[in-house]
Amino acid sequence: MLLGTVCVTFMAWGGHYTRHIGHVTKMAQDHLPWGVVVPFIVITVLLNKIIQKIRPSAMLSRAELLVIFGMASIGSALPSYFMAHMLANIAAPYYFPTPENSWAAELHPNLVDWAVVTDRVAAKWFYEGLPAGASIPWSAWSTPLFWRLSLVGAIGCFCYSAVAMLRKQWVEHERLTFPLMTLPLAMSTREPQGFFPVGILNLPIFWLGFAFAIFPILWNMIGYFVPVFPTIPRQFGHLSLGREFPPIQTRFYPLIIGVSYFIELEISFSIIIYFLLLTLETGILTRLGFELGPPRGDTSQFENWQGLGALCVLIPWGLWMARGHLYEVYRKAIHRDPSIDDSGELLSYRTALYTWILSGLFILAWCVASGMTLYFATVFLFFVLIVWLGISRISIETGLISSRTIHAQFATVHVVDLANATPSSLVALAMTRTWHRDLKTALMAPMANSVRLFDEVRSDRTRLTIAVAIAVAVVAGGSAYYAISAGYSTGAYNYGGIYAGSVQGTFDRAVGYIKDPFGLDRELALWSLLGVATAVANMAIRYAHPSFPLHPIGFVSATTYPANQSIFSLFIAWFAKQAILRFGGIGLYRRAAPFFMGLMLGYFTGVGISFIVDCIWFPGEGHHLSLY
């Protein structure tokens, strides 16, 4: 727990520093970030080796290592994107008003004072830096920070209790693969024995994959010092099917190839096929003159709506399939049924159910108190739950490094008639774009992945729950303190992005909805029906013909960003795994696994070295090795 706390403290600092100050590879922006893996490499390889030399009996056990990784992984969801959006959302409303944007007339009357910084001087100093001799006006931040961080705590309780109730269904009944957790599980194993305390590092094939991934990074680092030095590209152009068809990226990512090797073949194949079908659909419908929303840069509305439609089928269906298990949860929680054993769960079913209900009610009450009507808040939170469960399911089943689908706010304003929505509901909805904004860092996803790591320590669930609570509290509180202090020191407006254009766009959109409630093109939401039909058809065919090679989760994943950026690397991994299993069977598959883990660790080690080089020689002018 102490080492896990050190890791999340590092994350609380690094999440803000790497994105907004150092301008290096972002430490926390996906479900398997380098800010988690690099410290874990140091602990498992270096620290454990030192302990082995001094006192072998005191080496960190497998269970202890997995708790450290789980704490860091859960904490990684909050710094950088999550907390930056929150702090910008708190400070912006009274800094950016102009006669042109109408914030004073349309926004301020509908804002609740306890959720934002109303002191204009405090907001100005945050964005422009403290004048000489002034101190940080913490009193202006205390109330909004208290209520915003209390909401983060409720979200943490909501997500953790949800995954505690679903753990047995995912791990034991459905036997999902959790590809992203393959690496920490392997790094916590000492077999085969050798010089390194991490077993896979003692295999020559591991170092082949490691060298293959790290060599291009080290080679390209020469270009940091010699700009004219030739670099090894990661992008090999685009494949185009013709005019109006979205280009297919050919980016080569060793990390994606390494992770994707551990995805089930039918799922990776499904993502590839559905991605190609979506590309064909987009091109054909565009040529026929249909309006599909913005073109694919991130992802188009056409893809977003189809993905949401599919999730609205798959998530309820998945809960229906888990009805037997959920009924047992209910019987144990409400009736204390002695025939049901929950002693090996993350929380007792009674604690999990009541925590889930109470934290959910707190989130609902927070939304209503901030200005939403009860109906508006209920619709919004329904979509939030669908999206969170969907992102979690995609993460633990497909192994995608990150997933970004449609925002619940966007879905809500299309479903609810804006002409009947109150202005305060729309402004309150803008404030939720702090904790439900960048879905690559949705808190439920790393918690869902961590249940696979916690299998060996579930019997000590009290301390495990404390460890998770520490991870959330330290990262949320620590990153808030550091980011606010850094803003007053250097001026948050200099960070741009989240602190400037992004947060302005959030409130400009709310004002636009208030001024023109009939301007929204709600017809685009009808594309969700195509997603519903595709998911239902896929499930029906698989029910009738279990050998059907396409899986519906592949369709949902193909509609998300950044699947469209990594499809080439995913194809390489699928092809390699297919060939290995075809010609060498399961034995060769297992012998080849360390090579693909080497690809992952080689990439992460290279990023860590690049980070150190940037901090020493290029402070504030670093280099990006981000996947997206």
Side-chain angles (χ1 to χ4, degrees):
M1 289 170 66
L2 176 61
L3 286 172
T5 303
V6 171
C7 289
V8 295
T9 302
F10 174 64
M11 193 83 60
W13 164 80
H16 180 79
Y17 174 83
T18 55
R19 178 178 177 85
H20 300 292
I21 299 176
H23 303 293
V24 298
T25 305
K26 301 177 186 67
M27 184 178 289
Q29 70 162 354
D30 50 48
H31 304 317
L32 192 65
W34 77 263
V36 173
V37 179
V38 170
F40 193 64
I41 294 173
V42 174
I43 292 171
T44 55
V45 180
L46 298 181
L47 180 60
N48 239 6
K49 184 64 178 178
I50 294 172
I51 297 174
Q52 186 182 43
K53 290 288 187 181
I54 299 174
R55 187 181 177 187
S57 62
M59 289 181 67
L60 294 167
S61 68
R62 175 178 170 85
E64 289 169 332
L65 291 172
L66 294 179
V67 168
I68 293 170
F69 190 93
M71 289 180 67
S73 178
I74 291 170
S76 71
L78 296 179
S80 185
Y81 289 95
F82 190 106
M83 294 304 300
H85 282 300
M86 175 175 289
L87 298 178
N89 197 276
I90 292 174
Y94 284 89
Y95 176 74
F96 287 107
T98 65
E100 292 77 17
N101 62 26
S102 302
W103 285 21
E106 304 290 350
L107 188 68
H108 291 174
N110 297 295
L111 275 173
V112 287
D113 291 344
W114 49 264
V116 296
V117 171
T118 57
D119 186 330
R120 296 175 187 270
V121 174
K124 177 182 173 66
W125 288 355
F126 174 70
Y127 272 100
E128 300 179 9
L130 283 172
S135 58
I136 298 176
W138 288 107
S139 59
W141 285 84
S142 58
T143 299
L145 267 184
F146 172 80
W147 286 111
R148 299 279 187 141
L149 292 178
S150 68
L151 181 61
V152 174
I155 291 169
C157 292
F158 183 86
C159 295
Y160 190 69
S161 56
V163 300
M165 291 188 288
L166 290 169
R167 185 211 67 84
K168 190 171 185 177
Q169 175 68 21
W170 288 340
V171 176
E172 299 180 21
H173 296 336
E174 297 185 50
R175 303 185 68 83
L176 301 181
T177 54
F178 295 84
L180 292 177
M181 296 300 101
T182 303
L183 183 63
L185 288 169
M187 291 181 66
S188 63
T189 302
R190 296 179 187 171
E191 296 297 332
Q193 294 286 340
F195 174 79
F196 293 100
V198 177
I200 57 173
L201 269 64
N202 297 309
L203 299 172
I205 192 174
F206 165 85
W207 292 104
L208 181 62
F210 184 90
F212 190 80
I214 199 173
F215 175 76
I217 296 175
L218 298 180
W219 177 276
N220 290 347
M221 282 173 58
I222 300 175
Y224 296 1
F225 302 92
V226 186
V228 296
F229 191 79
T231 59
I232 300 175
R234 294 184 298 172
Q235 169 68 267
F236 303 102
H238 301 87
L239 299 176
S240 178
L241 301 179
R243 184 172 56 87
E244 306 297 348
F245 288 85
I248 300 174
Q249 303 281 353
T250 56
R251 296 184 178 182
F252 185 83
Y253 294 131
L255 174 59
I256 300 296
I257 295 172
V259 172
S260 300
Y261 181 75
F262 300 99
I263 303 174
E264 291 185 15
L265 277 175
E266 70 165 359
I267 292 179
S268 54
F269 178 73
S270 300
I271 297 174
I272 295 167
I273 296 301
Y274 274 123
F275 171 81
L276 295 175
L277 291 176
L278 283 167
T279 301
L280 290 172
E281 278 183 347
T282 302
I284 292 171
L285 292 174
T286 300
R287 284 198 169 189
L288 292 175
F290 286 91
E291 183 181 356
L292 303 182
R296 181 191 289 166
D298 193 332
T299 47
S300 67
Q301 286 191 35
F302 175 66
E303 295 166 295
N304 288 164
W305 281 116
Q306 286 197 71
L308 180 63
L311 284 179
C312 288
V313 173
L314 294 181
I315 297 305
W317 178 255
L319 295 176
W320 171 254
M321 294 299 292
R323 63 190 183 281
H325 167 69
L326 294 177
Y327 182 58
E328 289 186 352
V329 172
Y330 167 79
R331 284 165 47 204
K332 185 67 176 179
I334 303 300
H335 302 293
R336 300 179 182 269
D337 189 334
S339 65
I340 300 171
D341 182 17
D342 64 352
S343 59
E345 299 301 328
L346 300 175
L347 297 170
S348 70
Y349 286 153
R350 186 179 183 85
T351 300
L353 180 61
Y354 284 121
T355 300
W356 186 75
I357 293 172
L358 292 176
S359 58
L361 289 175
F362 181 90
I363 297 171
L364 177 64
W366 202 101
C367 291
V368 172
S370 63
M372 292 189 198
T373 64
L374 181 60
Y375 169 69
F376 197 94
T378 302
V379 173
F380 169 63
L381 292 179
F382 167 78
F383 283 120
V384 167
L385 183 59
I386 290 292
V387 171
W388 280 356
L389 288 173
I391 294 294
S392 301
R393 186 77 185 207
I394 291 171
S395 177
I396 65 180
E397 196 164 4
T398 72
L400 291 181
I401 291 294
S402 62
S403 303
R404 180 190 289 161
T405 185
I406 198 168
H407 293 152
Q409 295 92 339
F410 193 65
T412 301
V413 297
H414 281 75
V415 171
V416 177
D417 186 359
L418 289 184
N420 296 322
T422 63
S424 61
S425 291
L426 297 174
V427 173
L429 191 69
M431 288 194 291
T432 66
R433 292 179 74 87
T434 59
W435 52 272
H436 185 76
R437 173 63 182 260
D438 199 296
L439 302 178
K440 295 187 296 183
T441 52
L443 186 56
M444 187 178 285
M447 284 187 172
N449 274 297
S450 295
V451 302
R452 177 66 183 85
L453 302 180
F454 294 156
D455 272 354
E456 299 191 22
V457 290
R458 284 184 284 114
S459 58
D460 197 2
R461 62 189 182 192
T462 300
R463 283 196 292 178
L464 181 61
T465 302
I466 293 173
V468 173
I470 289 173
V472 174
V474 169
V475 170
S479 58
Y481 176 82
Y482 174 65
I484 293 173
S485 300
Y488 279 104
S489 175
T490 61
Y493 191 82
N494 294 317
Y495 303 147
I498 292 175
Y499 286 94
S502 180
V503 70
Q504 286 178 277
T506 293
F507 289 112
D508 282 342
R509 190 177 297 109
V511 171
Y513 289 153
I514 294 171
K515 285 185 169 183
D516 184 14
F518 301 100
L520 192 67
D521 189 359
R522 298 177 66 200
E523 288 74 16
L524 288 175
L526 295 175
W527 288 120
S528 62
L529 298 179
L530 184 56
V532 170
T534 303
V536 170
N538 193 318
M539 293 163 58
I541 294 172
R542 283 177 65 87
Y543 184 81
H545 303 283
S547 61
F548 185 67
L550 297 183
H551 194 290
I553 197 70
F555 171 67
V556 177
S557 302
T559 67
T560 66
Y561 174 86
N564 57 3
Q565 304 291 311
S566 56
I567 199 70
F568 183 69
S569 297
L570 181 62
F571 171 77
I572 293 174
W574 170 83
F575 183 82
K577 182 175 181 178
Q578 180 79 6
I580 288 170
L581 287 172
R582 175 64 62 87
F583 297 109
I586 191 66
L588 182 59
Y589 166 77
R590 289 172 177 165
R591 291 194 297 273
F595 172 84
F596 293 89
M597 293 179 188
L599 291 177
M600 291 188 269
L601 282 182
Y603 165 79
F604 285 121
T605 303
V607 171
I609 295 173
S610 177
F611 170 72
I612 294 172
V613 169
D614 281 334
C615 287
I616 297 174
W617 283 284
F618 305 97
E621 300 178 356
H623 302 82
H624 291 273
L625 296 175
S626 301
L627 297 177
Y628 317 111

